[in-house]
Amino acid sequence: MTQTTRSDYDVAVIGGGLVGSAIAWGLAQHGQKVAILDEGDIAVRPSRGNFALVWVQGKGLGLPEYAGWTKRSADNWTGFSAQLREQTGIDVCYERPGGFLPLLSEAEMEHRANQLKRLHNQPNVVRYDYEMMDRAAVAKEMPFIGKDVVGASYCPLDGHCNSLKLLRALHTGISLSGVAYLPNHRVERIEQREGGFRMVTASGEVRSGKVVIAAGHDGRRLAPMVGLDAPVRPERGHIIVTEKTAPFLKFPVGFIRQTDEGGVMIGDSFEDVGLDTTVRNGVTSTIADRAIRIFPLLGKLNVVRTWAALRVLTPDGFPIYEQSTSMPGAFVATCHSGVTLAANHALALAPHIAAGGLPDEFTAFSARRFHVPAAA
Ligand SMILES: Cc1cc2nc3c(=O)[nH]c(=O)nc-3n(C[C@H](O)[C@H](O)[C@H](O)COP(=O)(O)OP(=O)(O)OC[C@H]3O[C@@H](n4cnc5c(N)ncnc54)[C@H](O)[C@@H]3O)c2cc1C
């Protein structure tokens, strides 16, 4: 194990998952000397177990700034993935054909239509196209839908990628950009020292001018050490992967998508079970039943893998990006859509951290929104 003592970096990013890696990559492109301190393979990491959507529709009901932030990231994705490919030679297989969310009853149609209308009626919300399609319109694009599909919502801004390749491209990119990746450096403590920060880790101490907490589930424990708050909780999601099959599905369809390698990923559960990644057969069969009602041909495919991973969720589901007021130079970044938002973390958030502060546009994402006194 490497002993790291008195290292000197402009920024230490705690966490080498999708959020920390994208930020570290962006910081390095802005000339910062960066270290990523990562716990290692034992960590609970949604970055390796997610569904890989770059998804816009439906995001931001309750926080219009989040709708704008999400759209901006999806818009940045084409350039971001091209930059990664040019630098690393890794194609993260990003495509933006638009996405459907199929609905199986008139009640579901009505609920979805209301949800999207309310989202787009919020004051100052970003405008973008979406459509509620009836069965005939959906069948024109996907003739193989099942008889139970009543319609779907559609948004041309939605897309998907290969998120394992994204993580690999980011790690290759940070290595090529001179970022020090320090595995087995679980941060136990963060202390403010001599105008900077001292991280006490499992493999020695690391010093830096700034620190970014992007440690997923452990953000909850680490953030208060620097006067910040990250009240995140785990939410389990199951994913099923089928055997590879000939390309049939050109769109990501809410919770069903065909990957660049030919397998079909199916994932659609939201379970409040703590830090538990056990796969439950009851949950996978419920997910599979709904998927087969949407695309009956899925019933003929063999399942080759199932897993469960834990989303990092804030109380309202929106991200937290914040700089500490008591210890300026310390930042927290945590969100539950780390694939979708990777482009913004690299291109729109990191430059501000490099410059030393977050502008007003980030105020909406402060954890202070959770600090309202309870009503009597
Ligand atoms: C089932 C499922 C489906 C999903 N689908 C999508 C999707 O389609 N689209 C989308 O945009 N998002 C999706 N997500 C969410 C996305 O995967 C996460 O937002 C993202 O992976 C979060 O990345 P992270 O870096 O914050 O966390 P993590 O992946 O948890 O990474 C945190 C890192 O911090 C390290 N760490 C933890 N504690 C410490 C410590 N004390 N010291 C040092 N290092 C530490 C860990 O080793 C880890 O590498 C999905 C998530 C799940 C679970």
Side-chain angles (χ1 to χ4, degrees):
M1 197 177 287
T2 336
Q3 277 292 320
T4 310
T5 50
R6 294 201 158 270
S7 295
D8 198 5
Y9 301 96
D10 295 327
V11 194
V13 177
I14 305 177
L18 281 173
V19 175
S21 305
I23 293 172
W25 183 87
L27 289 167
Q29 312 317 304
H30 281 77
Q32 299 277 286
K33 189 174 174 197
V34 184
I36 292 184
L37 283 54
D38 195 72
E39 181 176 6
D41 282 342
I42 49 156
V44 178
R45 282 193 282 202
S47 296
R48 293 186 180 201
N50 62 68
F51 198 64
L53 295 176
V54 178
W55 197 254
V56 177
Q57 65 165 293
K59 301 257 183 100
L61 180 57
L63 191 68
E65 291 85 350
Y66 182 53
W69 181 244
T70 300
K71 176 180 179 294
R72 182 172 161 195
S73 196
D75 290 344
N76 276 333
W77 245 94
T78 303
F80 172 58
S81 55
Q83 244 178 297
L84 283 177
R85 188 172 54 239
E86 195 174 310
Q87 184 191 34
T88 66
I90 298 170
D91 181 357
V92 303
C93 304
Y94 173 59
E95 287 180 354
R96 197 187 204 185
F100 288 84
L101 187 71
L103 301 157
L104 298 183
S105 67
E106 290 300 342
E108 285 188 11
M109 282 289 277
E110 195 181 323
H111 177 75
R112 182 66 174 166
N114 280 338
Q115 204 181 34
L116 294 177
K117 200 183 281 174
R118 283 195 292 135
L119 194 163
H120 289 270
N121 280 344
Q122 294 177 111
N124 303 322
V125 77
V126 67
R127 298 269 155 228
Y128 61 85
D129 290 340
Y130 74 93
E131 210 180 317
M132 291 303 298
M133 288 184 172
D134 61 15
R135 179 183 166 81
V138 179
K140 256 192 207 156
E141 298 295 341
M142 297 183 289
F144 39 83
I145 51 170
K147 63 175 176 36
D148 292 349
V149 176
V150 172
S153 58
Y154 169 77
C155 174
L157 304 183
D158 295 327
H160 58 158
C161 70
N162 181 320
S163 63
L164 287 177
K165 287 184 183 164
L166 170 64
L167 193 58
R168 187 150 66 85
L170 285 169
H171 275 255
T172 306
I174 57 181
S175 159
L176 291 169
S177 308
V179 173
Y181 176 74
L182 308 176
N184 305 316
H185 277 64
R186 180 178 197 272
V187 175
E188 305 298 346
R189 258 189 356 262
I190 315 171
E191 294 164 2
Q192 200 176 28
R193 282 287 160 88
E194 297 151 16
F197 296 90
R198 172 178 174 262
M199 271 63 61
V200 179
T201 86
S203 301
E205 68 176 58
V206 177
R207 288 167 190 257
S208 62
K210 288 174 277 202
V211 60
V212 180
I213 298 169
H217 297 289
D218 209 26
R220 186 180 189 101
R221 182 182 67 87
L222 293 170
M225 296 179 191
V226 289
L228 288 164
D229 188 22
V232 291
R233 67 172 175 87
E235 182 192 70
R236 189 169 66 189
H238 278 70
I239 290 184
I240 301 170
V241 184
T242 72
E243 64 183 314
K244 292 176 187 172
T245 186
F248 74 97
L249 188 55
K250 91 172 182 214
F251 305 96
V253 172
F255 66 100
I256 305 168
R257 66 180 203 93
Q258 189 165 24
T259 71
D260 53 295
E261 285 155 354
V264 181
M265 286 179 84
I266 306 166
D268 188 25
S269 70
F270 306 89
E271 307 149 68
D272 190 359
V273 292
L275 287 170
D276 176 4
T277 53
T278 315
V279 172
R280 299 281 171 202
N281 289 339
V283 180
T284 50
S285 43
T286 306
I287 297 170
D289 280 350
R290 188 172 170 92
I292 291 168
R293 285 175 72 196
I294 293 168
F295 297 131
L297 57 80
L298 292 176
K300 298 199 172 77
L301 297 177
N302 290 310
V303 170
V304 293
R305 271 190 80 193
T306 52
W307 69 79
L310 300 172
R311 297 181 189 87
V312 183
L313 269 198
T314 63
D316 58 9
F318 303 123
I320 299 172
Y321 307 115
E322 192 157 16
Q323 178 174 20
S324 173
T325 47
S326 58
M327 298 188 203
F331 299 81
V332 64
T334 188
C335 70
H336 105 97
S337 290
V339 181
T340 304
L341 297 175
N344 269 7
H345 292 158
L347 303 178
L349 174 63
H352 294 300
I353 296 175
L358 301 185
D360 288 348
E361 63 174 299
F362 287 92
T363 308
F365 299 113
S366 158
R368 286 192 297 276
R369 67 187 188 269
F370 305 120
H371 301 166
V372 285

